[in-house]
Amino acid sequence: MIQSIKKQMKISIADWGIGLAFTAGCVVFGLIFIWIMKAVGSIEPEDEALITMAFGIFGAGIFIILYMGFTLLMNFNLQVGMGCTRKDFVVSYYVTGTLGSLVLVLFVVLTAAAEQMVYTRMYGAEAITDMVSAILKWGIPAAFALPAVSSMCGALVLRFGKTAAWIIWGIWMIGCLGFPNLAEHISEMQDSAVGRVGTGIVSMLKNLPGSAWTILILLAGAVSLALEARLLLRQEVQA
């Protein structure tokens, strides 16, 4: 098992270096975006820090999601075909993905800390939101859950092919485009039965403590990892 993890780390270390570069590039793009916003209008100091970190978080999250899903399609057939057991592959792939995700979270935290220090000197501590604590609070659970969720999607595509790929794509698009529109419609018809139900659900979710959200995130990761393992332990190697 340990040898499989070491081998997986050697295989993926360069890819996670690309992930660091991609995340750093998103942070730089965030700085450029702020510069453009300042050129065409005004922007609050607090918003400057939030926007830059939003780009960094977005870059790290997108890389984890895409990398863990797409590379599983190639690595499973390659490594299991070369003699790695399915069990060792599932464990080593998840462990390596989680470690890489934690590195990206650490990079975003260090970037946020440096940015917070600079903006604090420029505008004062009271004008800047503490992003480091928030990133640590949500980033660490996400670093454990996202690799499992993304790998599960890759395992579903490996098992069921294009059908699973289109379903996953549909769910992704509904989440990105459908939920914001749904929330807007609910807010516009609060007096209707649907509006009251939607408002009640949103209120309930807002009242959940942070610890409950952390548990839900980790639970989603655990369930995804279990489903991925079940799929891959029965998956045949494809030429």
Side-chain angles (χ1 to χ4, degrees):
M1 182 70 70
I2 300 299
Q3 292 301 320
S4 297
I5 294 174
K6 289 181 178 178
K7 185 181 295 185
Q8 189 68 50
M9 291 180 68
K10 289 180 180 179
I11 292 172
S12 59
I13 188 168
D15 295 331
W16 286 105
I18 295 173
L20 276 175
F22 179 75
T23 305
C26 289
V27 172
V28 172
F29 186 81
L31 294 172
I32 295 173
F33 180 78
I34 290 172
W35 179 80
I36 295 173
M37 291 288 291
K38 283 185 173 181
V40 300
S42 61
I43 182 171
E44 295 295 326
E46 181 179 353
D47 293 335
E48 292 185 33
L50 290 175
I51 289 172
T52 307
M53 284 302 96
F55 275 98
I57 294 168
F58 174 81
I62 287 296
F63 182 83
I64 294 169
I65 291 171
L66 295 180
Y67 174 79
M68 292 298 294
F70 281 110
T71 57
L72 181 137
L73 302 176
M74 299 179 292
N75 285 338
F76 176 82
N77 290 323
L78 178 63
Q79 295 182 38
V80 174
M82 294 179 64
C84 179
T85 66
R86 289 166 173 77
K87 179 181 177 181
D88 285 353
F89 174 80
V90 170
V91 174
S92 63
Y93 192 73
Y94 173 73
V95 169
T96 305
T98 301
L99 291 175
S101 301
L102 288 171
V103 169
L104 293 187
V105 171
L106 177 61
F107 173 79
V108 174
V109 167
L110 293 176
T111 303
E115 184 185 46
Q116 194 167 309
M117 186 182 302
V118 171
Y119 281 121
T120 298
R121 290 186 177 183
M122 291 174 60
Y123 303 112
E126 65 279 356
I128 305 301
T129 303
D130 181 16
M131 290 293 294
V132 173
S133 299
I135 295 170
L136 286 172
K137 180 180 179 180
W138 301 111
I140 292 178
F144 284 91
L146 273 183
V149 174
S150 180
S151 298
M152 177 198 68
C153 293
L156 287 169
V157 174
L158 193 65
R159 182 69 175 272
F160 301 107
K162 292 182 179 179
T163 301
W166 281 112
I167 291 174
I168 293 169
W169 173 254
I171 294 173
W172 173 267
M173 294 307 295
I174 290 172
C176 293
L177 302 177
F179 286 152
N181 291 331
L182 180 61
E184 182 179 351
H185 288 310
I186 288 175
S187 64
E188 291 175 353
M189 51 182 189
Q190 294 183 0
D191 295 332
S192 66
V194 175
R196 287 193 294 270
V197 171
T199 303
I201 293 174
V202 171
S203 177
M204 181 186 67
L205 293 176
K206 284 183 177 180
N207 291 329
L208 282 177
S211 57
W213 282 109
T214 300
I215 292 172
L216 288 174
I217 292 171
L218 293 175
L219 182 61
V223 172
S224 299
L225 182 61
L227 179 57
E228 175 201 352
R230 181 176 177 83
L231 289 169
L232 293 184
L233 290 176
R234 301 180 179 184
Q235 176 65 37
E236 295 295 329
V237 175
Q238 300 173 1

